[in-house]
Amino acid sequence: MDAIALAVALVRTSQLGQAAQVIRLLGTTDEQGQAWLSLVRQIAADGDDEAAWALADAIGSRPWHAKAVGVLAENRARIDEFEDGRSLAMSIPYPHDRLRTWASPAEASAVSGNPTWTAEFLDRAEQTETLDDWAVPTLPILTRAAEAAGDHSRTLVFLARLESAARREHADQEALRAGRTSRQQGALSDTPALLPLLQALISVGEYERAEVLLAKVRGWTGRARATSAVAGALARCGKAGRVERLAGRIKGPGQRASASAALADAAALAGNAARITAVGKLVAASDELVNAGPVIAVGEAWAALGAADRSEAWVRSIAMSALRVEAQAAVAEALAVAGDLGWAEALAPDIGDLQLRGEALYRLVTVLAEAGLLARAEAVAGSIAEASRRVRALAVIAAHSEKAAEARRLVGPALEVGDWPAVIEVLVRVEPTAVTAIAEESLHHVADRQL
């Protein structure tokens, strides 16, 4: 039973009691808690505040209820209801959850250009009583919020705290290895705080400082992993030159392949065809040709650049058949997303592996449906050999159909084979009574198993 999907559908058809009953059938308290959070988050995002509150109040566990209140506070901040977000965050009794909740409104208000509220949320975050390890996941968010608000001094404070946490974790690890009780500050190691620190530095433009710290990471494995992560973060910022320099320093083939993929991504972001060509030559001449990451990244980079012919030529030139079909599937989707639908439709059916071909065609159906090309999408869906993936592709088209009768026709095959999770969202809109029937059947089935 897909509990969360069914519970969301029940709430959207005003059946909150049954939705709560479905969640309570899950096994452990943590499973239920995560399901409650997902449910509250989705319903709050729908704009149904009353239902979201009712669901949060139905949570029996106090810690999970507090987390749900945090979700509601974050949602209020995302729609610029900052005063409501503050009130909700202040009501959270646990410092850990309260700190995490302050961070999200801080970033939301900074992005929306409201420095007064950003300062308020950052102040409250700094005043929240926390343990050091609690703060590590939240500090990158606070760093981004401070930088977005133009508060560079506070940005540096948060970065310093992250660096301190990374060094403290490293010292603890070293003391444990040596059997000592005292800490000694030194070179960084691959600790939980390290990657958030490096990525936070890059997100605020402190590229040189990130590279200096990276050079201090001890241990071949830790440095390779951190370098690979930094290369990816730099690529997302379009810093192809820096990615290229880092890639040359990596000795491990796996991490080097990841850096090569990041370099292709950065070249695509920068619109640099010459650099994509260079990366392709580098990948073709190295052992990364056995790694799907950089091979796919080069093909996707050409697709993103609008060079569909070069994208197709690249994947068809790959000699290793397993790698070629995997790249074809990924590039077919990239071509469709880039708007080169003809090229995508020509490439996807030619994929040799049945499962990968079905996945590529399914992704193509999704892109076509999102573009409103429903008849074309249905024709592609009909060419999917695997029945389960075909009915799910039809369900995607149904979700985009504005005509209820047409949507019912398209979801019919999924219901015939019992794949209701694929069409539950559509049923909420076109056949709400079917949602009730599915819920009752599912609840009876679980009850029978528990007897």
Side-chain angles (χ1 to χ4, degrees), residues 349-375:
D350 196 33
I351 296 171
D353 182 88
L354 185 65
Q355 185 174 357
L356 282 173
R357 181 166 69 246
E359 178 63 23
L361 291 168
Y362 175 84
R363 293 174 183 176
L364 179 55
V365 167
T366 301
V367 174
L368 289 166
E370 289 173 350
L373 302 171
L374 302 188

Side-chain angles (χ1 to χ4, degrees), residues 10 12 48 56 64 76 102 109 118 121-122 155-156 190 199 218 232 250 256 260 271 277 284 296 340 376 387 432 451:
L10 288 165
R12 288 174 177 165
D48 192 344
W64 284 106
R76 300 310 293 172
W102 288 130
S109 58
T118 305
F121 292 130
L122 290 175
T155 300
L156 295 177
D190 193 13
Q199 290 166 340
R218 63 179 298 172
I250 303 175
R256 189 166 61 247
S260 297
T277 300
I296 290 172
D340 289 311
R376 197 167 169 181
L451 290 177

Side-chain angles (χ1 to χ4, degrees), residues 159-298:
L159 286 173
R161 289 182 182 177
L162 255 178
E163 184 174 354
S164 175
R167 292 188 182 281
R168 183 175 59 252
E169 288 171 354
H170 165 73
D172 286 342
Q173 287 183 356
E174 290 298 290
L176 186 63
R177 289 191 188 100
R180 301 191 304 267
T181 57
S182 61
R183 297 170 173 173
Q184 293 182 354
Q185 296 285 340
L188 294 174
S189 60
D190 193 13
T191 63
L194 176 63
L195 294 186
L197 168 62
L198 293 169
Q199 290 166 340
L201 285 167
I202 291 166
S203 72
V204 299
E206 294 279 347
Y207 309 122
E208 289 81 4
R209 188 174 172 194
E211 292 188 27
V212 168
L213 282 177
L214 184 62
K216 295 181 179 180
V217 177
R218 63 179 298 172
W220 179 84
T221 303
R223 184 175 296 174
R225 179 169 174 263
T227 304
S228 178
V230 167
L234 287 168
R236 288 188 289 276
C237 297
K239 300 297 179 182
R242 290 183 179 277
V243 176
E244 192 170 21
R245 287 198 299 275
L246 281 178
R249 304 176 193 169
I250 303 175
K251 296 180 180 179
Q255 288 82 9
R256 189 166 61 247
S258 178
S260 297
L263 182 55
D265 293 341
L269 281 172
N272 192 326
R275 195 180 293 275
I276 297 173
T277 300
V279 176
K281 290 179 179 178
L282 177 67
V283 170
S286 68
D287 55 0
E288 273 79 33
L289 196 56
V290 301
N291 189 302
V295 171
I296 290 172
V298 171

Side-chain angles (χ1 to χ4, degrees), residues 69-70 72-74 83-94 97-99 101-102 105 121 124:
V69 173
L72 294 171
E74 292 168 10
E83 191 165 350
D84 285 351
R86 178 181 61 185
S87 298
L88 288 170
M90 290 173 64
S91 72
I92 297 173
Y94 306 110
D97 295 312
R98 195 163 63 248
L99 173 63
T101 303
W102 288 130
F121 292 130
R124 290 187 178 274

